[in-house]
Amino acid sequence: MKIKLLFVAGTGFATIALSTPVLFAGSEQYDLSKEAPPPPPQPWCETPPLWEVRIGLPGWMAGLSGESGVKGVVNSVDVGFDQLLNHLTHFPVALSVNARYRRWEFWVDGQYIEVGTSATLPGLLFTDANVHIKNALAEGFIGYRLINCDNANLSLFAGARWTYLQGDLGIFDNGDARLVRLRELLGIQKRLDFSDSIDWVDPVIGIRGRVKIWKAMKLFAEGDVGGFDANADTAFELQREGRTIVRKSVDSTDWSYQVAGGLEIQLTRQIWTQVGWRYMKYDFRKAGFTDKTALNGPFLQTGVNF
């Protein structure tokens, strides 16, 4: 009986002795498991949310230069933004709306402006003239993102640009009572008014993109070309030959070009602003209308995103 007890006691002691390293080994493995594994490397291209909508209020402080004309009368213009601002007859209206679903983008923007001025004309029969110009622009595009990342994106797009131009010219007599009879003999009215308008739609293709440079700051750029002589037909200008004015046929054209770029800052989670430069050039001549002008200057846009 004593031998059995000793055998059992010896067996238990051996079991405990043999089990001790195993218990200690298990304890060491458990401690190692508590150490957090290193975080996996973050991918550079993180996919943006499924939907995105941006609404902005742009302001373009552009000057105007080039050639413009109505009814065949063409004149050169070179007016800075400060001069345009002084001749605004209505507050300009502008709006932009951008929407994106996955890689597909849809956006529209437009603006409307009216300017007017008065001038004193040389001569005995007329001394005053009023000029009023209305201009509207609207664009709509569909784009596809070749690069669709939160840090950077690049899109090809196509669409159309609608342009409206109206010119009103009024010439008044000088009110001199001595010239009333002369006016009657010559058949000249006391007031002469000229008004005409035209609108056209240009097909447009382009590219645009953005890249994050630091925290909430991004650089953006955009360029497009349109027209492709889609509206070119026939055109004419009035030209002086000696003492006479003759109507001459000229080449009709329809092209437009635009580039823009700058800095975008995400002020809050939903409010952003853009500061940059925009240049837009028209090369349009049809019937008696000529619009070979360039709009060039800084712009500021602020908006919200959802």
Side-chain angles (χ1 to χ4, degrees):
M1 190 69 175
K2 291 181 179 180
I3 296 174
K4 289 183 179 180
L5 291 173
L6 290 173
F7 178 75
V8 171
T11 305
F13 177 77
T15 303
I16 295 173
L18 292 173
S19 301
T20 300
V22 176
L23 292 174
F24 287 145
S27 176
E28 291 177 357
Q29 291 177 356
Y30 177 79
D31 292 338
L32 290 174
S33 65
K34 288 184 177 180
E35 296 182 6
Q42 294 294 326
W44 179 84
C45 182
E46 295 183 10
T47 304
L50 192 67
W51 277 97
E52 183 182 16
V53 178
R54 293 159 55 93
I55 301 176
L57 296 175
W60 190 9
M61 296 163 284
L64 179 68
S65 62
E67 294 183 344
S68 63
V70 179
K71 292 186 177 296
V73 180
V74 181
N75 191 25
S76 298
V77 294
D78 188 1
V79 183
F81 174 73
D82 55 339
Q83 295 173 286
L84 286 178
L85 191 62
N86 292 332
H87 296 295
L88 287 176
T89 58
H90 291 80
F91 190 79
V93 178
L95 180 68
S96 69
V97 179
N98 289 253
R100 178 187 56 80
Y101 176 70
R102 295 186 185 274
R103 289 178 175 262
W104 291 98
E105 296 180 309
F106 314 89
W107 70 94
V108 295
D109 65 77
Q111 65 180 29
Y112 177 79
I113 187 172
E114 291 187 25
V115 293
T117 187
S118 299
T120 300
L121 304 178
L124 295 174
L125 301 181
F126 297 101
T127 57
D128 299 312
N130 290 337
V131 180
H132 193 81
I133 298 175
K134 301 177 182 179
N135 178 254
L137 169 69
E139 303 172 314
F141 302 106
I142 298 177
Y144 183 80
R145 285 190 173 184
L146 302 178
I147 300 175
N148 185 35
C149 303
D150 186 58
N151 291 334
N153 59 74
L154 181 67
S155 304
L156 293 178
F157 63 86
R161 177 182 297 122
W162 172 76
T163 306
Y164 173 81
L165 180 63
Q166 177 178 330
D168 301 321
L169 174 63
I171 303 177
F172 307 86
D173 68 3
N174 59 6
D176 194 331
R178 297 171 298 174
L179 301 176
V180 174
R181 181 56 182 165
L182 177 60
R183 215 176 265 285
E184 293 177 355
L185 292 174
L186 296 177
I188 300 177
Q189 302 176 6
K190 296 185 65 176
R191 173 173 177 149
L192 299 178
D193 292 305
F194 305 92
S195 180
D196 207 349
S197 64
I198 191 172
D199 68 300
W200 66 96
V201 178
D202 286 338
V204 178
I205 59 173
I207 185 172
R208 72 173 187 172
R210 291 184 297 170
V211 59
K212 182 181 290 186
I213 56 174
W214 183 71
K215 292 186 177 180
M217 294 186 179
K218 295 181 179 180
L219 293 177
F220 69 92
E222 177 179 337
D224 65 59
V225 58
F228 306 98
D229 274 340
N231 294 284
D233 190 3
T234 59
F236 69 89
E237 289 182 3
L238 299 183
Q239 300 178 2
R240 181 186 296 274
E241 290 188 357
R243 295 185 177 182
T244 61
I245 303 296
V246 297
R247 172 172 164 167
K248 283 193 172 183
S249 297
V250 294
D251 293 334
S252 178
T253 59
D254 176 25
W255 289 85
S256 58
Y257 314 91
Q258 181 175 212
V259 292
L263 179 67
E264 178 179 313
I265 305 174
Q266 193 73 35
L267 301 176
T268 68
R269 185 178 295 272
Q270 292 182 317
I271 301 177
W272 52 271
T273 187
Q274 290 180 336
V275 180
W277 200 273
R278 183 179 178 185
Y279 174 85
M280 187 173 187
K281 177 71 168 65
Y282 279 102
D283 185 3
F284 178 83
R285 186 159 54 187
K286 182 179 179 181
F289 283 90
T290 298
D291 187 4
K292 292 180 174 289
T293 58
L295 291 165
N296 185 29
F299 77 89
L300 172 67
Q301 181 173 206
T302 300
V304 295
N305 58 271
F306 305 95

